[in-house]
Amino acid sequence: MASLLSCGALAPAWLCRHGDMLLYLAPSVLLALLIRQLSARHPFFFLFTAAGTACHELAHFSVGLLTGARPGSFTIIPRRVGQGWELGSVLLTRVRWYNAAPVALAPFLVVLLPWMVAAWRTRPGWHFQWLDLVLAFAVAPQFLACWPSKVDWKIALRSWPYLLILAALWLAWRQWGRAWG
């Protein structure tokens, strides 16, 4: 009877192994949704997104350095742009076809921060502490910052030759992968 109620019987193995981390991050995700709603209503709430904006722009800046995109200016001061707001920006002076996608999609790396915090805090023997409440507020903006903006996606399209390379690799794998495996 106990085996019918075990985690593996009810959920995928991955969820069973990482359920404590997902449970730890759930309040931060809910807080991120609340911050998103509030910041859409009033610019004051951009203060709560500052940590995420900084990480988002630092991801662009760091990957820009690593790929030769030559980052210039860096800002996380919100400014009005048309009908919306630009929360931060990095000026890249040498975006080419080979580095456009890595630099533009670098914010995906930001999602690793909440997972690293959750892995650290949910080690065996973990018990709730006041630090976890502070970390929930620090981690929440990272969930908002890990998605590239519309401008980022447009810049990523400059790397369209990657699509051809990936398509060729995929076709080669389909063709010859079956013969080897």
Side-chain angles (χ1 to χ4, degrees), residues 27-81:
S28 293
V29 170
L30 294 174
L31 191 56
L33 295 173
L34 178 65
I35 290 170
R36 184 177 189 90
Q37 289 297 320
L38 292 174
S39 64
R41 297 189 196 301
H42 195 277
F44 169 76
F45 293 101
F46 287 147
L47 290 173
F48 295 105
T49 65
T53 301
C55 289
H56 180 103
E57 300 307 335
L58 280 172
H60 287 307
F61 191 89
S62 302
V63 174
L65 279 176
L66 291 172
T67 61
R70 292 190 189 152
S73 66
F74 172 92
T75 183
I76 59 166
I77 298 172
R79 68 182 183 106
R80 194 70 134 139
V81 177

Side-chain angles (χ1 to χ4, degrees), residues 70-165:
R70 292 190 189 152
S73 66
F74 172 92
T75 183
I76 59 166
I77 298 172
R79 68 182 183 106
R80 194 70 134 139
V81 177
Q83 296 292 335
W85 288 88
E86 179 182 85
L87 300 181
S89 66
V90 172
L91 175 65
L92 302 165
T93 60
R94 192 168 185 217
V95 177
R96 303 290 187 259
W97 71 269
Y98 56 87
N99 63 8
V103 171
L105 303 179
F108 282 131
L109 298 172
V110 173
V111 81
L112 296 175
L113 291 172
W115 285 103
M116 289 175 8
V117 169
W120 166 54
R121 295 301 300 153
T122 60
R123 290 182 295 188
W126 172 77
H127 298 288
F128 178 81
Q129 297 175 355
W130 287 107
L131 172 65
D132 296 310
L133 185 60
V134 173
L135 288 173
F137 276 92
V139 165
Q142 309 314 320
F143 286 113
L144 299 175
C146 69
W147 192 256
S149 67
K150 288 179 186 177
V151 173
D152 295 340
W153 286 106
K154 287 178 184 176
I155 292 170
L157 289 176
R158 291 185 188 175
S159 289
W160 65 267
Y162 280 135
L163 296 176
L164 296 177
I165 294 167

